[in-house]
Amino acid sequence: ILFVVIYFLLFFIFSNSIFAQTNTTQGRFSFLGGVALPQGDFGSTEIGNEKAGYAETGFGLMIEASKLFSENVNWTTSISLAINEVDGNTLSNQLGATVTVGKYITTWALTGLGFDAPITPSFTIYGLGQVGLLVSKFPDITITGIGTSISQTTKITTAFAYGFGAGFIIGKVNIGVRYYSSEPEYEQTGSIGGVTSTVKVKLPAKILQVMFGVKF
């Protein structure tokens, strides 16, 4: 994980150095923030759905650098952080117990090709497709009030991820959407009555980010 983070940080430092020494039309750097909307099973609260994630709408931050190869083609690298609360109230009602639960924290480090369609000198529409890694922290869970106490902890894990995006740039304003998807394998340890067990499960992580930011 540390190697991946260092690699992407070095990419951004190198990219910024290039952009600072060349004409601004040769690349761009953006900082964005917005909402992170869970998709599919990641946000499902359906009883009986073993992959239901109970994730709620959260927020996200992103830094993104693009190196232009031509007026229309670029290479774009993004690092995005999303934090999503868990619908503990629904989970408590379904289980008939008190549920204390943490947050999903997902970090998406992706890179790939992008395509620009300049409409005017100050207005550009863009799209991109990326692949990379997800670093995911699954929320810890404690369940009480059913005659005993059950706790579950999960190790941080990494997994292959992919994403697509689109948006438009007006002057220095960057507005866009990003769809990210992965299915990490988690190592989860449960404890009940002093007895512990560990299992590995694959669960989906899918979000749609609606982002608003500034291009430098």
Side-chain angles (χ1 to χ4, degrees):
I1 297 174
L2 180 60
F3 172 79
V4 174
V5 173
I6 291 174
Y7 172 82
F8 277 92
L9 286 176
L10 287 175
F11 177 88
F12 277 113
I13 293 172
F14 179 69
S15 298
N16 285 339
S17 175
I18 292 175
F19 297 162
Q21 298 175 36
T22 60
N23 188 286
T24 56
T25 60
Q26 297 305 305
R28 60 174 176 263
F29 180 87
S30 299
F31 180 80
L32 305 100
V35 296
L37 306 168
Q39 302 294 297
D41 288 336
F42 188 51
S44 173
T45 59
E46 181 183 0
I47 297 176
N49 183 355
E50 295 181 352
K51 293 192 174 184
Y54 291 81
E56 296 185 315
T57 297
F59 68 92
L61 297 172
M62 177 192 298
I63 52 176
E64 186 170 85
S66 297
K67 172 64 177 176
L68 296 180
F69 297 135
S70 69
E71 184 181 19
N72 301 106
V73 181
N74 63 69
W75 191 268
T76 299
T77 298
S78 312
I79 297 178
S80 179
L81 171 71
I83 299 177
N84 294 84
E85 298 277 357
V86 176
D87 189 352
N89 290 331
T90 297
L91 196 55
S92 294
N93 292 335
Q94 290 176 352
L95 296 175
T98 300
V99 177
T100 303
V101 62
K103 303 178 181 68
Y104 287 103
I105 302 176
T106 53
T107 302
W108 309 78
L110 304 176
T111 190
L113 284 175
F115 303 90
D116 286 2
I119 306 301
T120 71
S122 61
F123 179 60
T124 297
I125 298 173
Y126 67 85
L128 52 88
Q130 298 172 301
V131 296
L133 288 177
L134 163 67
V135 180
S136 181
K137 182 182 184 304
F138 193 91
D140 292 340
I141 302 172
T142 301
I143 303 171
T144 57
I146 53 176
T148 187
S149 177
I150 303 172
S151 63
Q152 175 184 281
T153 58
T154 305
K155 289 185 178 180
I156 294 174
T157 190
T158 60
F160 170 79
Y162 65 89
F164 303 97
F168 56 88
I169 296 172
I170 304 177
K172 290 187 175 297
V173 177
N174 187 345
I175 300 174
V177 295
R178 304 289 187 274
Y179 173 81
Y180 295 144
S181 178
S182 181
E183 190 169 4
E185 182 176 64
Y186 297 101
E187 182 177 312
Q188 298 181 328
T189 299
S191 176
I192 177 171
V195 178
T196 63
S197 63
T198 300
V199 298
K200 290 185 177 181
V201 295
K202 284 190 174 183
L203 297 171
K206 296 182 180 181
I207 60 171
L208 180 69
Q209 289 188 310
V210 181
M211 311 292 283
F212 176 91
V214 178
K215 175 184 76 76
F216 298 96

